[in-house]
């Protein structure tokens, strides 16, 4: 839900690249953040190179675990439903399930189940810094992350797509639906997520607000 006019247009454009961040019962709609670019524009050379270009190393697939889990006799402590995950090639990942799961595609499409590159995971997994570190090539980068309070995003100057519209995006947490609505009505917030069901009529009756149902 957003304030009308320019703020409504801004929120709609930002929502194209948005993910939902939730905490303590509240949530905020946020543009997909990034810590830095991983893609850059290049131009063709004007002269013929004197040496042959380096060839990429052949892809070597990795499976986790190395040996598939025996679903009929699962090892002690394992209660999962995945027998093995395989990197078939550079762009393909295969999941072997212990049993059919009609909701599996929806589960792996959830934002917390993004597939990350192994080098990034090895760098951030030991100290669990991946919790507050983003990995991507989106239009925004994380400038500040104050746990339980807010996240500040700034434009990624090397983003390959359409440039970010807002110079600064601040996502704040609030567990109370009433408080979120009051901040929107007072103008201290440009948009909120998770409107309380009891507030639907209030929002629809306010000409300065627009309710975006999903």
């Amino acid at each position: 839900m957003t304030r009308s006019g320019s703020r409504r247009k801004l929120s709609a454009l930002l929502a194209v690249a948005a993910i939902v961040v939730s905490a303590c019962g509240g949530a905020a709609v946020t543009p997909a953040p990034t810590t830095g670019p991983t893609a850059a524009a290049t131009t063709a050379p004007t002269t013929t190179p004197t040496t042959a270009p380096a060839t990429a190393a052949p892809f070597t697939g990795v499976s986790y675990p190395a040996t598939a889990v025996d679903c009929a006799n699962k090892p002690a402590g394992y209660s999962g439903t995945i027998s093995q995950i395989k990197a078939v090639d550079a762009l393909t990942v295969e999941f072997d399930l212990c049993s059919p799961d009609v909701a599996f595609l929806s589960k792996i499409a959830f934002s917390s189940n993004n597939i990350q590159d192994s080098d990034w995971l090895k760098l951030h997994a030991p100290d669990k810094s991946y919790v507050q570190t983003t990995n991507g090539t989106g239009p925004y980068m994380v400038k500040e992350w104050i746990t339980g309070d807010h996240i500040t995003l700034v434009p990624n100057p090397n983003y390959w797509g359409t440039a970010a519209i807002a110079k600064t995006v601040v996502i704040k947490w609030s567990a109370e639906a009433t408080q979120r609505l009051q901040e929107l009505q007072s103008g201290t917030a440009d948009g909120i997520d998770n409107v309380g069901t009891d507030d639907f009529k209030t929002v629809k009756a306010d000409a300065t607000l627009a309710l975006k149902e999903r």
Side-chain angles (χ1 to χ4, degrees), residues 1-5 8 184-185 203-210:
M1 178 182 59
T2 64
R3 300 192 69 82
S4 60
R8 186 187 307 173
L184 182 67
Q185 292 174 319
V203 173
K204 291 179 178 179
D206 191 332
T208 66
L209 302 179

Side-chain angles (χ1 to χ4, degrees), residues 81-102:
T81 59
I82 298 178
S83 173
Q84 191 175 41
I85 302 175
K86 306 173 185 176
V88 179
D89 56 47
L91 299 176
T92 307
V93 177
E94 178 180 297
F95 297 82
D96 292 341
L97 306 181
C98 290
S99 60
D101 184 355
V102 296

Side-chain angles (χ1 to χ4, degrees), residues 37-111:
T38 59
T42 59
T43 56
T46 56
T47 59
T48 302
T50 57
T51 57
T55 57
F59 177 82
T60 302
V62 177
S63 297
Y64 182 83
T67 302
V69 172
D70 180 356
C71 296
N73 299 285
K74 296 180 181 179
Y78 180 72
S79 59
T81 59
I82 298 178
S83 173
Q84 191 175 41
I85 302 175
K86 306 173 185 176
V88 179
D89 56 47
L91 299 176
T92 307
V93 177
E94 178 180 297
F95 297 82
D96 292 341
L97 306 181
C98 290
S99 60
D101 184 355
V102 296
F104 185 71
L105 291 180
S106 297
K107 293 176 181 178
I108 62 173
F110 194 67
S111 58

